[in-house]
Amino acid sequence: MKDQFVVPARLKTTSFVLMGIGLLTLLIGLFAFQGEQGSTRFWAGLLQNSTFFTLIVLASTFFIAATTLAHGGWQIGFRRVPEAISMAVPVLGGILFILLMILVFTGKTDIYHWLDAEHVKHDPILNWKAPFLSKGFFTTATIITIGLWSFFTWKLRKMSIEEDSWDLSAATGKKIVWRNTVWTGGFLVVFVLSVGSTTPWMWLMSIDAHWYSTMYSWYTFASTWVSGAALIALFVIYLKRNGYLPMVNEEHLHDLGKFCFAFSIFWTYLWFSQYMLIWYANMPEEIVYFKPRVWGEWRPIFFLNLLINFITPLLFLMKRDTKRNYSAMVFIAVVIIFGHWLDFWQMVGPGTYHHLVFPWFEFGIGLGFVGLIIFLVSNNLTKAALVPKNHPYLKESIVHHT
């Protein structure tokens, strides 16, 4: 049984090529984007990609935590895959942190106009939000949030690897279940308080600081969570096609497909509800966000999101056989990730550089992040056996049937 992953030369080359494209795009952007408007697009593209891909890899930590607290055993056969993906959180989170600190402490008011203290004094709405939208609160909350994400991710991975050296017994099994439950419970509290509320408000919604939505954080969560499930499916399929994960079969892939199907619908529910309530109220401070997206230049992208992120997954994943087909799942997983990347683009672009442009810079940076994720995940897959052999729920995963 192939239980120890070895990074193929081709995969390593692919990751380096993609990272090279990202770095080249970054360098071209430094020279191509001159002036205030160009600089705005440069920083907005970095913010979009670093936030999106950090939250995607964090979704793997959430996957581990949620299935652990639910006492789910079906995913144990490939648990090391989301573990390896989650280990990219400290790296991507570090990149995001550096970027956010640059934006805040160099006073990028074209990204976050609440950084302009003089403007805030004469703006009743921003003045009212000043205790929350301030350098001090923003920095402190960002440090705590990314620090806790990284700590819990590292801790869950460390505990999982430690368990491989334990003696398998009933007492050991109870200890594994108990301590995993405690630590994942702690992570979920942090996750809900950050991704479920404050983090999207600070990093993304405050780009349009006059606007607010109680659904925004959940909308962001749904987008990155379904993308995270798609990313897990891609790595599971890659490993299966290369002779790894013998205990994983089409039943497990089917369940990953159901996650992608269900949360594509959940994302659509939030997409519609957020828009419907604001349209119905028709209040100036609320519709300002949707004016450029629904009635302005960004209208095609706004409705393209619905086609890619709802209609396509709905039609493809409705059938049982599609969720069990490797090629079909690879296609739809790539579509889902790209579709929600596009969603993040229209979440950031209209509030920063305003005009609809061809996203060559944003896409190039995105490819660089994809290459970095492939590099980090493939290297972390080599650091432990692909199957947590001492986990008490492993048998449940082996006999899993849907």
Side-chain angles (χ1 to χ4, degrees):
M1 181 176 69
K2 294 173 67 176
D3 195 34
Q4 193 69 42
F5 181 69
V6 177
V7 183
R10 186 175 180 182
L11 183 63
K12 188 178 295 185
T13 301
T14 300
S15 68
F16 284 136
V17 168
L18 290 174
M19 284 190 288
I21 292 173
L23 182 59
L24 180 62
T25 304
L26 182 68
L27 294 174
I28 293 174
L30 282 172
F31 292 100
F33 297 135
Q34 300 295 327
E36 183 178 346
Q37 188 66 18
S39 174
T40 301
R41 184 178 173 189
F42 177 83
W43 293 109
L46 292 177
L47 176 63
Q48 171 211 340
N49 280 288
S50 57
T51 305
F52 177 67
F53 286 106
T54 298
L55 292 177
I56 278 187
V57 295
L58 182 68
S60 283
T61 311
F62 175 76
F63 177 88
I64 295 167
T67 52
T68 297
L69 283 187
H71 291 282
W74 67 274
Q75 84 291 347
I76 299 301
F78 63 87
R79 178 189 169 103
R80 291 285 159 80
V81 174
E83 283 181 8
I85 296 173
S86 71
M87 289 306 293
V89 170
V91 178
L92 270 64
I95 294 172
L96 175 59
F97 172 74
I98 292 171
L99 172 65
L100 291 170
M101 293 304 100
I102 291 173
L103 295 177
V104 170
F105 287 98
T106 58
K108 298 293 183 183
T109 56
D110 47 346
I111 304 293
Y112 298 127
H113 60 272
W114 51 265
L115 289 170
D116 187 340
E118 189 62 31
H119 177 70
V120 170
K121 289 180 183 178
H122 305 286
D123 189 319
I125 295 178
L126 293 185
N127 192 46
W128 181 70
K129 296 181 179 182
F132 178 78
L133 294 181
S134 63
K135 288 183 179 179
F137 186 92
F138 188 100
T139 302
T140 303
T142 298
I143 291 173
I144 293 173
T145 297
I146 295 179
L148 287 174
W149 289 351
S150 300
F151 169 73
F152 276 103
T153 295
W154 168 81
K155 182 65 177 179
L156 294 178
R157 172 69 163 172
K158 181 174 179 288
M159 290 193 307
S160 180
I161 294 176
E162 285 176 351
E163 292 159 6
D164 286 351
S165 61
W166 291 3
D167 295 327
L168 186 60
S169 65
T172 299
K174 290 180 181 179
K175 182 178 180 180
I176 290 173
V177 171
W178 171 247
R179 77 171 189 165
N180 283 348
T181 300
V182 170
W183 281 99
T184 54
F187 168 76
L188 282 182
V189 172
V190 172
F191 185 86
V192 170
L193 292 176
S194 55
V195 178
S197 58
T198 57
T199 301
W201 294 346
M202 290 189 302
W203 296 345
L204 297 176
M205 194 167 72
S206 71
I207 292 172
D208 301 276
H210 278 195
W211 180 73
Y212 53 88
S213 168
T214 56
M215 293 185 177
Y216 191 86
S217 292
W218 289 106
Y219 178 86
T220 305
F221 158 72
S223 186
T224 52
W225 165 231
V226 70
S227 301
L231 184 63
I232 294 172
L234 285 174
F235 275 103
V236 168
I237 292 170
Y238 176 81
L239 291 171
K240 284 293 295 180
R241 283 181 164 173
N242 285 272
Y244 297 97
L245 302 179
M247 299 176 184
V248 176
N249 53 44
E250 61 182 15
E251 305 289 343
H252 302 87
L253 186 62
H254 186 186
D255 276 355
L256 286 171
K258 287 193 289 187
F259 268 118
C260 293
F261 177 75
F263 282 93
S264 291
I265 295 174
F266 178 62
W267 171 88
T268 310
Y269 160 73
L270 294 172
W271 181 93
F272 174 74
S273 298
Q274 181 174 250
Y275 172 72
M276 181 196 69
L277 292 174
I278 289 175
W279 169 84
Y280 188 82
N282 197 28
M283 299 171 67
E285 66 270 22
E286 294 189 11
I287 64 171
V288 64
Y289 179 83
F290 285 101
K291 285 184 70 176
R293 291 167 174 84
V294 181
W295 297 285
E297 294 181 31
W298 293 80
R299 182 182 177 91
I301 305 301
F302 184 79
F303 288 103
L304 182 61
N305 275 325
L306 189 64
L307 174 64
I308 297 179
N309 297 327
F310 172 57
I311 302 299
T312 305
L314 178 72
L315 296 180
F316 266 81
L317 294 175
M318 188 178 293
K319 291 184 61 178
R320 181 174 185 268
D321 292 343
T322 306
K323 294 189 283 288
R324 294 166 171 259
N325 183 284
Y326 286 179
S327 297
M329 278 299 296
V330 167
F331 169 77
I332 199 62
V334 171
V335 167
I336 286 172
I337 294 173
F338 172 73
H340 288 283
W341 176 90
L342 201 66
D343 189 20
F344 266 63
W345 179 46
Q346 68 88 34
M347 289 165 70
V348 173
T352 52
Y353 48 89
H354 308 298
H355 297 293
L356 180 60
V357 295
F358 181 74
W360 65 268
F361 174 74
E362 294 79 4
F363 189 68
I365 295 296
L367 289 179
F369 273 95
V370 170
L372 180 59
I373 290 172
I374 293 173
F375 175 79
L376 293 171
V377 174
S378 58
N379 277 278
N380 275 287
L381 284 171
T382 66
K383 295 181 179 179
L386 291 178
V387 178
K389 59 183 179 181
N390 286 340
H391 199 287
Y393 293 163
L394 179 60
K395 183 178 179 181
E396 183 179 337
S397 182
I398 295 172
V399 300
H400 177 60
H401 179 75
T402 57

